[in-house]
Amino acid sequence: QVQLVESGGGSVRPGGSLTLSCATSGFYLGNYDLAWFRQVPGKEREGIACLTVNDKPYYTNSIKGRFTISRDTYKNELYLQMDNLKPEDTAVYYCLRDYGMFSRNCETGSYDQMRQSGYWGRGTQVTVFQ
C-alpha cells in the first residue's frame, strides 16, 4: 500500500528556514518522479518542485534559489529544504508520488498530470508570519 506522510511544518519569521520530510512506504522511491505541492485556502494546489528518477530537480520561479528538493532512497524519504521563507510561502505543503514509474512528468513540467493521478500525503502546515 502506497503511503506518504509529511512532517516538519511549523511557524517561522520571514527569512527563516524549515525542512519538510515525507516518509514513504509501499514502493521504491527511486523509480518515480516525486514532487512538492502547496495550497492556500481558496486556491488550487500548486506544484512548486519536483525530482526526476535521475535526481534532477525542477523548481517554479516563485521558490527557485530558496528551496531545495532531495530524496534519500535508503531512508525512503523525500525532503524540501526551505530557506529565506517569505509570508507568501504560507500554505499547506503536500508531497506527491507520481502514478507511473519513469513517467517523465517532472521533466516535462506536467504538474497537472501529477496532480490528477498521483499519490498524496495529508499535508503539513507552514506559516511565515511578520
Side-chain angles (χ1 to χ4, degrees):
Q1 181 180 2
V2 174
Q3 290 190 324
L4 302 95
V5 180
E6 302 92 339
S7 62
S11 297
V12 296
R13 292 196 180 276
S17 297
L18 284 173
T19 301
L20 304 184
S21 299
C22 176
T24 72
S25 60
F27 63 98
Y28 176 59
L29 204 64
N31 286 344
Y32 297 88
D33 287 357
L34 304 169
W36 286 96
F37 284 68
R38 67 185 181 187
Q39 188 171 26
V40 297
K43 291 193 174 181
E44 189 176 56
R45 201 168 291 187
E46 169 196 24
I48 58 170
C50 65
L51 194 63
T52 71
V53 295
N54 297 316
D55 279 336
K56 184 172 182 179
Y58 290 84
Y59 303 100
T60 58
N61 288 335
S62 61
I63 59 101
K64 194 175 294 182
R66 300 188 297 120
F67 292 10
T68 304
I69 187 172
S70 63
R71 84 174 91 200
D72 186 326
T73 54
Y74 293 100
K75 293 183 177 180
N76 292 320
E77 291 188 347
L78 175 70
Y79 306 103
L80 186 68
Q81 174 66 40
M82 305 187 295
D83 298 316
N84 191 20
L85 282 159
K86 302 177 181 181
E88 52 264 41
D89 295 318
T90 296
V92 178
Y93 284 72
Y94 299 88
C95 60
L96 172 140
R97 193 214 84 178
D98 204 3
Y99 182 78
M101 287 193 293
F102 312 108
S103 71
R104 299 187 66 221
N105 279 328
C106 174
E107 183 180 356
T108 58
S110 300
Y111 283 112
D112 284 348
Q113 185 62 50
M114 286 191 280
R115 183 190 300 113
Q116 290 173 16
S117 57
Y119 291 88
W120 296 94
R122 291 189 175 184
T124 185
Q125 176 70 46
V126 171
T127 303
V128 185
F129 60 97
Q130 295 287 358

